[in-house]
Amino acid sequence: MLHFILKRLFLAILVAGTVSFISFSLMFLSGDPAAALAGETASGEDVEAIRVLYGFDRPMLVQYAEWLGAAVTGDFGESYYFKLPVASLIAERLSVTMILGVCGISFSLLTAVPLGVIAAMRPNSLIDRAALFLSVAGQAMPSFWFGLILIVVFSIKLGWLPASGTSGWPNFVMPTIVLGYYAMPAIMRLTRAGMLDVLSSDYIRTARAKGASETRVLFKHALRNAIIPVVSLAAVQMGFMLGGSIVVESVFALHGAGYLAWESIGRNDLPTVQALILIFSMFYIVFTFLSDVLNAWLDPRMRSS
């Protein structure tokens, strides 16, 4: 197990290094950063002064090494627009995105896994068809459209929930449903497919022949094996939720890290955009690493694969 963890950790560090270089390169892929900061009406002397001020005149690899060294210590520089340290700016907003992401993936798992299990127990039944309809509807509806529908119904018509803000838990109910519902279909279908495959296997028939109760067969023998790919998918969806919460945060006016990314891209605030891409990518890599370790613990065959 230790060898497996060290191998996965090495791969995670390798991917993290590649992502950090790509994140830094975005500043140069978008054109001359000094000219972008100076504006369209700036003279050549102004652009050159900004290039020297921010160190854009030095070799790219030197800039990358300095940026990475500072980023490792939590120093992402100063925001061009907000004129504040990027680290404190992100720390202030990240808690909202984290709460939203954790609530979203919890909602997905708590609804999708039971639905997938029930659908697999009664294939082609009314429940199975209803679950498949929910999964298709979840993937067909754009997040912003679903969010607006919930606002119209529960905020404007019924007045049950606030449409925006972060003053309390009611503010997170509708965003959680929108974000979680987007991830639910894939988890539900994977759970259903895994359970159908496992329930038709020989060792399940043997367990039933030995007199094991249906509850024991389902939750001790079948679900443990069927849930392994779901763990990997949930980790991927969690990383996607954190990075892709920009739409949900914009619709419900939640000033989290996703909304900050949208603001920073529109204002050409490159240090903030770079830091956000790097941080969201690191979350994604960490969740994937943890899911690999958890899967190896659940299924020892993966340790030698």
Side-chain angles (χ1 to χ4, degrees), residues 195 198 203-204 207 212-226:
M195 286 295 291
V198 171
Y203 74 92
I204 292 294
S213 66
E214 195 61 23
T215 303
R216 184 179 177 83
V217 168
L218 281 176
F219 294 101
K220 181 173 176 58
H221 299 288
L223 188 57
R224 175 170 178 147
N225 290 304

Side-chain angles (χ1 to χ4, degrees), residues 63-257:
Q63 294 181 56
Y64 169 67
E66 290 184 356
W67 176 79
L68 184 61
V72 169
T73 64
D75 180 10
F76 295 100
E78 185 177 291
S79 164
Y80 292 161
Y81 178 78
F82 294 99
K83 304 299 180 187
L84 291 170
V86 173
S88 63
L89 198 61
I90 294 176
E92 183 184 339
R93 305 283 193 96
L94 196 58
S95 59
V96 174
T97 302
M98 290 296 294
I99 292 172
L100 190 58
V102 171
C103 292
I105 196 66
S106 300
F107 175 82
S108 296
L109 290 172
L110 291 174
T111 53
V113 172
L115 268 178
V117 172
I118 294 171
M121 290 170 61
R122 301 283 186 275
N124 299 319
S125 65
L126 184 61
I127 294 178
D128 186 23
R129 294 179 189 279
L132 288 175
F133 173 77
L134 282 176
S135 71
V136 172
Q139 288 193 325
M141 285 190 298
S143 298
F144 72 90
W145 183 83
F146 186 39
L148 292 175
I149 292 295
L150 292 184
I151 289 174
V152 169
V153 175
F154 293 102
S155 295
I156 299 176
K157 297 290 184 184
L158 300 176
W160 290 353
L161 294 168
S164 62
T166 56
S167 57
W169 66 266
N171 299 87
F172 289 90
V173 173
M174 289 192 291
T176 294
I177 293 173
V178 174
L179 198 62
Y181 189 41
Y182 187 77
M184 191 187 78
I187 296 176
M188 195 281 290
R189 287 206 304 270
L190 194 61
T191 304
R192 178 183 179 275
M195 286 295 291
L196 283 174
D197 186 49
V198 171
L199 288 173
S200 62
S201 59
D202 291 338
Y203 74 92
I204 292 294
R205 281 192 288 271
T206 303
R208 283 172 172 157
K210 288 182 176 178
S213 66
E214 195 61 23
T215 303
R216 184 179 177 83
V217 168
L218 281 176
F219 294 101
K220 181 173 176 58
H221 299 288
L223 188 57
R224 175 170 178 147
N225 290 304
I227 207 73
I228 291 174
V230 177
V231 172
S232 299
L233 180 61
V236 172
Q237 293 287 0
M238 181 64 184
F240 177 78
M241 283 182 178
L242 292 178
S245 62
I246 178 171
V247 174
V248 177
E249 290 182 14
S250 301
V251 170
F252 293 97
L254 298 173
H255 288 190

Side-chain angles (χ1 to χ4, degrees), residues 268-290:
N268 212 17
D269 192 354
L270 291 174
T272 308
V273 175
Q274 284 178 318
L276 285 168
I277 292 173
L278 183 65
I279 289 172
F280 285 141
S281 303
M282 291 303 110
F283 276 124
Y284 192 88
I285 292 169
V286 169
F287 289 136
T288 304
F289 169 73
L290 292 177

Side-chain angles (χ1 to χ4, degrees), residues 30-81:
S30 60
D32 185 352
L37 282 173
E40 296 179 358
T41 58
S43 64
E45 289 76 12
D46 293 335
V47 174
E48 191 57 31
I50 290 176
R51 184 173 287 112
V52 174
L53 176 64
Y54 288 102
F56 296 139
D57 55 332
R58 294 173 299 163
M60 180 180 171
L61 288 179
V62 174
Q63 294 181 56
Y64 169 67
E66 290 184 356
W67 176 79
L68 184 61
V72 169
T73 64
D75 180 10
F76 295 100
E78 185 177 291
S79 164
Y80 292 161
Y81 178 78

